[in-house]
Amino acid sequence: MLKALVTGMALIAGTGPALSDVIRPKPRPVLVSAPTAPAAAETVPLTATEATGTPPAMRPLGPPAPLAAAPVAEPRDPNKGAVTNLPLPRYVSLKSGEGNARRGPGLSHRIDWVFTRVGMPLKITAEHGHWRRVEDAEGVGGWVHYALLSGVRSVMVAEDMATFYSRDDTTSLAAFQAERGVVARVIGCADGWCRVSVDGQRGWAPVSSLWGVTADEVID
């Protein structure tokens, strides 16, 4: 009978997980005393958090770190476009045969002028989003959508009758002449001269005879 009881206890002990595999919550430390025990019971003091239910105030570790200074924005160069960062003023040409010049940079602004000469030179004086403020040789203009402009360079004859030479020299042979307002496509400019093409004819003219290029500009 005793042997059977021992065997049964052994079977019961072997059916569950080992005591070392069972994780049980740890008892919360409390202050206890046992006056009748042969030796003085050990006391465990409560922490500040356990005694009051609130954590102790944090002690400052030192003076606060100085705030980083906000970066200072560099002033924008007024000689560069706010959108493209290209030089201002600069010259372009009209891409199509009709370009509406509006009073402001947007379709909601009224149209003040309509450019109708494809390839005519225009001077960009300001930028805003997709819009460019331009003016022609007479100073007339407004805000034009950038899609209507081209980087292909052209010039307009600024004299009553301009002579175009076979070389960049006034002593060379005259190639042809053109009246004021004639638009010519620029082939190249250097040293105060521009070589242009007008109706299949090519020749050189001083920059002073043309509008749409600066005196010291180099165009390859």
Side-chain angles (χ1 to χ4, degrees), residues 24 26 64 80 119-120 136 139 155 164 169 187 193 200 205:
R24 295 183 174 86
K26 297 180 181 180
K80 297 285 187 67
M120 68 180 297
D136 63 8
V155 291
F164 292 81
D169 188 347
I187 300 174
W193 285 78

Side-chain angles (χ1 to χ4, degrees), residues 62-88:
L67 297 177
V72 179
E74 295 184 2
R76 188 178 65 83
D77 187 351
N79 298 319
K80 297 285 187 67
V83 180
T84 64
N85 205 38
L86 294 175
L88 288 180

Side-chain angles (χ1 to χ4, degrees), residues 100-123:
N100 295 330
R102 298 180 180 270
R103 185 161 296 184
L107 295 176
S108 61
H109 296 276
R110 62 172 292 180
I111 299 173
D112 285 338
W113 195 262
V114 179
F115 298 118
T116 58
R117 297 183 64 183
V118 59
M120 68 180 297
L122 295 169
K123 180 167 65 174

Side-chain angles (χ1 to χ4, degrees), residues 131-150:
W131 296 83
R132 308 290 180 263
R133 189 172 65 197
V134 301
E135 60 183 46
D136 63 8
E138 298 179 357
V140 175
W143 289 90
V144 176
H145 195 276
Y146 81 101
L148 300 176
L149 305 176
S150 171

